[in-house]
Amino acid sequence: KMNKTLWLWAVVSSFLFINCCFCLTVEFGGVYQECDDGECAECAVPNRLTGGCSCPIGFSATCLSHGVGTHMCVCQTDSLVSGGAYGGVYQKDDDDDRECNSDVVCRVGNSFNNNLCNCPSGYEPQNIKAFVHGENKQCNVTGSTISFCFNSDKSTSSNFKGIFQRDSSSSCSVGNSVTSGCECPQDACAWISANENNNRVATTICHSSLASPVDPSTINGKVMFGYQAWFSTETDTHETGWRHWSAGVIPSGSTVSFEIWPDLSEFAADELTATNLHYSDGTVAGLYNADSPTTINRHFQWMQTYGLDGVYLQRFVGELTYPPTLWMRNNVTQNIKAASENYQRTYSIMYDISGVSQDTLFDTITNDWKYLVSEQQITNSPQYLHEGGKPVVAIWGFGFSDPNHNFTSDFSLSVIQWFKDAGVYLIGGVPYYWREQINDSRPDFLQVYKAFNLVSPWAVGRFGTTNDFHNLYQQVVAEDISFCSQNNLAYAPVVFPGFSWSNLNHGSP
């Protein structure tokens, strides 16, 4: 899901493997309620996972008549999640309440069970009362039953936590099988509807709207994502102009410099800047500024929804001496700090030293870290990533053999030592062949790599097929892990979902 609007790579932070301390099956995408008779706001009750009457990406809505003039939309996956607690939903009109038809009608079938009005094997219906009109609205209100299929034995590992309902006197008419009463074990969404005779029912669908809060006290067992936050438009407040969407001009079919169009379905119009691109229906396509607090909050909400731990916030050292990009970087950092606290994710600074002169790097990077600690006070954030009580910082780029990383080993060691003396747990973004000091690595740099607390070899582009990866795992990764174990180094491999820069470098793959 995080492929939605970000350029991402992921770092699996563990010595040997991922420790799954909290594994939650996210199989339920929340619920929302809409009005269809004009008597209330169109989006009567928003989905707590999206903030509106919509489903999270990867979920689709099944809508059911809940009250006269309203419908409840349940967000679910396309098929039954094996081993999950949620088994779909269906709705049947009640035989004894119908005055328009004599037969029991399967109003909405269960898509998890061949669209029939029953539950898959292993799931039991949890029934709540609903009200619907007759077909032509001339008949009396018809009773109806909405059935959520549930396996309560599996609720501890699922984000679906059951349902309950109260009647017009607030009595508990339908209890939650998880709690044996009208209460939720975790967060809940409540839906209240009334029929034409003013008989009210209050339905509560219990689901964990959040992934488990991330423990920022350790790096071990986490999957962290690289967060560049480098996209900007010509209407930004820091006057950087169009960057990374295109090279300084309004994006068009011939000038775009990115590969995948972001999913903007949850973005408000005022977050987007018009481009010279159009959707198939002719409307103008817009793109966003990466330092927008609204956009950053949404990204962290997605991370929370899908159980992603946190980000390494890229801080490009080459941008820190140019006022407009420095302003943007500082603004992004403030917004990341706030978003991580809002959504209980974690974050850490990662300095990218690519293209910076050795003559200026030491002063620039050390002064910047002192500024972030003293002025922005990022390490005082309850969500800033720590290890062994020390704030985590990553430096990406020492030891690479290309001309953009022209640093001597002695100089590299001096920067590393400064950060460690400052009480930092230091990660090195190092070449893939760091241990052997060949190919993408400079020779005679092993002592530099060993000076870090943790090494994370850059794997992007180093393999292109599954067979390549399996071969390299045995030849490189397994040997890296063994070396790290013998030399008191932590190890975090990098994974990536593929790579292309054909629009940035025309003619390249």
Side-chain angles (χ1 to χ4, degrees):
K1 295 302 175 186
M2 289 301 291
N3 202 19
K4 295 166 87 167
T5 61
L6 314 177
W7 292 106
L8 288 178
W9 42 270
V11 177
V12 182
S13 300
S14 177
F15 289 86
L16 297 175
F17 52 83
I18 302 176
N19 297 318
C20 187
C21 300
F22 184 88
C23 298
L24 183 71
T25 302
V26 180
E27 56 179 330
F28 191 75
V31 285
Y32 59 91
Q33 188 174 38
E34 293 181 316
C35 283
D36 51 22
D37 62 0
E39 295 182 7
C40 61
E42 183 177 346
C43 185
V45 182
N47 187 343
R48 292 183 66 189
L49 296 183
T50 65
C53 280
S54 61
C55 291
I57 300 300
F59 295 86
S60 56
T62 295
C63 295
L64 314 107
S65 297
H66 186 222
V68 174
T70 67
H71 55 270
M72 173 197 298
C73 294
V74 179
C75 299
Q76 54 187 26
T77 53
D78 291 335
S79 58
L80 183 69
V81 176
S82 178
Y86 175 70
V89 64
Y90 60 90
Q91 183 173 15
K92 291 172 66 174
D93 292 346
D94 301 336
D95 186 32
D96 56 353
D97 277 351
R98 291 188 58 84
E99 296 187 16
C100 295
N101 296 298
S102 59
D103 296 329
V104 175
V105 174
C106 182
R107 179 174 289 270
V108 178
N110 188 347
S111 62
F112 291 177
N113 196 29
N114 299 315
N115 290 314
L116 300 174
C117 274
N118 52 39
C119 292
S121 177
Y123 296 84
E124 295 295 327
Q126 307 291 299
N127 301 322
I128 58 172
K129 187 175 183 179
F131 304 103
V132 295
H133 262 300
E135 300 256 338
N136 57 10
K137 292 196 176 183
Q138 299 303 311
C139 304
N140 291 334
V141 172
T142 298
S144 190
T145 299
I146 296 174
S147 300
F148 284 80
C149 299
F150 188 40
N151 185 331
S152 58
D153 293 338
K154 299 177 180 178
S155 64
T156 56
S157 61
S158 171
N159 75 321
F160 183 69
K161 305 295 182 181
I163 62 172
F164 63 87
Q165 190 173 64
R166 296 182 184 273
D167 60 23
S168 56
S169 64
S170 297
S171 298
C172 185
S173 55
V174 178
N176 188 344
S177 60
V178 177
T179 61
S180 300
C182 277
E183 59 185 4
C184 290
Q186 295 189 25
D187 288 345
C189 296
W191 313 95
I192 300 176
S193 298
N195 73 355
E196 290 179 331
N197 295 319
N198 296 317
N199 291 319
R200 286 184 174 272
V201 290
T203 304
T204 301
I205 293 87
C206 303
H207 67 90
S208 174
S209 59
L210 315 177
S212 178
V214 171
D215 174 12
S217 69
T218 180
I219 192 174
N220 195 37
K222 289 181 172 60
V223 178
M224 301 285 288
F225 292 81
Y227 194 100
Q228 280 84 356
W230 56 18
F231 294 108
S232 63
T233 73
E234 64 182 358
T235 59
D236 57 23
T237 54
H238 34 73
E239 300 179 349
T240 58
W242 286 101
R243 296 175 70 246
H244 287 281
W245 295 123
S246 62
V249 297
I250 300 175
S252 66
S254 60
T255 64
V256 294
S257 54
F258 62 102
E259 298 296 307
I260 301 174
W261 187 262
D263 185 336
L264 303 172
S265 59
E266 297 178 29
F267 282 61
D270 60 5
E271 289 181 75
L272 304 176
T273 302
T275 69
N276 287 334
L277 298 163
H278 296 80
Y279 291 109
S280 58
D281 63 1
T283 57
V284 175
L287 292 166
Y288 64 87
N289 285 309
D291 69 331
S292 162
T294 303
T295 300
I296 290 173
N297 266 288
R298 183 181 296 104
H299 289 163
F300 275 72
Q301 182 186 43
W302 288 342
M303 290 168 61
Q304 184 187 64
T305 299
Y306 296 104
L308 306 180
D309 294 317
V311 300
Y312 290 121
L313 173 58
Q314 307 293 284
R315 200 158 169 90
F316 297 92
V317 179
E319 296 181 349
L320 302 182
T321 56
Y322 178 55
T325 50
L326 173 61
W327 188 95
M328 180 180 179
R329 284 289 148 207
N330 289 341
N331 196 39
V332 167
T333 302
Q334 291 174 342
N335 293 333
I336 289 285
K337 178 176 179 285
S340 68
E341 294 170 4
N342 288 341
Y343 295 101
Q344 298 179 301
R345 304 298 93 188
T346 191
Y347 75 105
S348 171
I349 294 295
M350 175 176 278
Y351 286 107
D352 187 322
I353 60 177
S354 302
V356 180
S357 168
Q358 181 169 294
D359 295 336
T360 61
L361 175 60
F362 188 93
D363 287 343
T364 303
I365 194 171
T366 57
N367 287 335
D368 185 73
W369 177 246
K370 288 186 284 187
Y371 162 77
L372 292 177
V373 172
S374 63
E375 299 299 322
Q376 292 210 12
Q377 298 188 343
I378 60 170
T379 56
N380 290 337
S381 168
Q383 295 307 120
Y384 193 88
L385 185 62
H386 284 69
E387 180 61 41
K390 298 179 179 181
V392 174
V393 174
I395 299 178
W396 193 96
F398 282 137
F400 285 84
S401 59
D402 63 276
N404 280 330
H405 302 90
N406 194 17
F407 309 105
T408 66
S409 57
D410 287 343
F411 173 79
S412 303
L413 283 168
S414 70
V415 175
I416 292 171
Q417 192 59 51
W418 184 92
F419 275 94
K420 296 180 80 171
D421 289 343
V424 162
Y425 181 92
L426 198 60
I427 296 174
V430 300
Y432 193 67
Y433 295 95
W434 64 280
R435 176 178 46 80
E436 299 174 275
Q437 303 173 89
I438 59 173
N439 299 335
D440 57 351
S441 173
R442 293 178 182 271
D444 302 321
F445 251 74
L446 190 59
Q447 291 307 309
V448 174
Y449 304 140
K450 290 171 66 176
F452 288 108
N453 298 111
L454 181 152
V455 291
S456 183
W458 186 241
V460 175
R462 300 303 185 262
F463 50 85
T465 68
T466 303
N467 286 337
D468 289 344
F469 168 75
H470 287 307
N471 291 334
L472 284 174
Y473 180 85
Q474 296 300 327
Q475 298 168 11
V476 178
V477 178
E479 293 299 321
D480 283 354
I481 293 173
S482 176
F483 180 90
C484 288
S485 297
Q486 296 169 23
N487 288 274
N488 197 32
L489 269 173
Y491 183 83
V494 170
V495 297
F496 63 102
F499 179 80
S500 173
W501 57 8
S502 60
N503 284 330
L504 179 64
N505 297 295
H506 294 285
S508 299

